[in-house]
Amino acid sequence: MGKVSATILGAIIGGFAAVAAIVFWFGWGLPGQGQAAYIDPTRADYIDLLLTVATIFLGAVGLTVTVGALVVGLVALKTLREIKEEAADGAKDAAAQKINETMATELEPNVKAKVDEALPTALQAALLNDELGHKIMSEMAQRGELDEVLERVAMRIQGGGPEAYTDNGNEYADDEGGQA
């Protein structure tokens, strides 16, 4: 707001300075250049002066309005750019949320059902394939995932009966309520 009022004040002061310069330039205010000091000016002199002042004032107002319009236009452009960026970010967030919601409600149950339906038969077929089953078991053995299972099998073979557990309170895992 301060810049606008400073611009208006500058235009008014500039208008008065321009009027003074024109009066000086045309010689209307200097009494020593071939004109008597106290001769009454004619009506045409007043009309010329008023038209000149009005023209300068309107020019100053027009310049002020033009500068103000440029400032308002630049501010509006910056504001529109920010609004556009905020709208784009909001649209991205809304789209991502809608996609996630759609996937959770519509796609995930269908995919899960298809996987549950196809996985047991595909897994069984893959394990029955000698090469693939051997490869899977070899990799699991190398990572140490089968160590516990092999120890339990060895204990059963050596002991000849159900496994004995002492850490969960049951003596045998194959009894009712025990672990398998």
Side-chain angles (χ1 to χ4, degrees):
M1 191 68 176
K3 291 181 180 181
V4 172
S5 52
T7 304
I8 292 172
L9 184 62
I12 292 171
I13 292 172
F16 284 126
V19 167
I22 287 178
V23 168
F24 178 73
W25 180 264
F26 288 126
W28 292 335
L30 298 175
Q33 297 178 351
Q35 180 179 356
Y38 297 106
I39 296 179
D40 291 331
T42 62
R43 179 179 281 187
D45 291 336
Y46 283 119
I47 291 175
D48 287 345
L49 181 62
L50 287 175
L51 287 175
T52 304
V53 169
T55 302
I56 292 171
F57 184 72
L58 288 175
V61 168
L63 182 64
T64 303
V65 168
T66 303
V67 170
L70 286 173
V71 169
V72 167
L74 290 174
V75 169
L77 179 65
K78 184 178 179 185
T79 304
L80 286 175
R81 185 179 303 139
E82 290 174 359
I83 289 171
K84 183 181 84 168
E85 289 173 0
E86 288 178 8
D89 291 342
K92 286 179 188 176
D93 293 342
Q97 184 179 7
K98 183 65 176 174
I99 288 170
N100 289 338
E101 181 181 311
T102 301
M103 286 177 61
T105 59
E106 296 178 12
L107 298 177
E108 189 174 332
N110 292 339
V111 170
K112 185 171 174 52
K114 294 286 185 183
V115 168
D116 288 345
E117 179 182 309
L119 185 62
T121 56
L123 187 59
Q124 186 177 13
L127 289 176
L128 289 178
N129 183 355
D130 288 335
E131 288 181 21
L132 185 59
H134 181 68
K135 183 177 177 183
I136 291 171
M137 292 296 188
S138 299
E139 287 178 8
M140 289 176 72
Q142 287 175 354
R143 288 191 302 250
E145 295 173 359
L146 297 178
D147 291 346
E148 185 179 329
V149 174
L150 291 175
E151 286 178 15
R152 288 176 60 194
V153 169
M155 290 296 286
R156 270 200 176 174
I157 290 174
Q158 289 175 0
E163 286 183 45
Y165 278 98
T166 57
D167 51 35
N168 66 352
N170 291 338
E171 193 170 325
Y172 296 104
D174 289 341
D175 292 342
E176 287 185 27
Q179 294 180 351

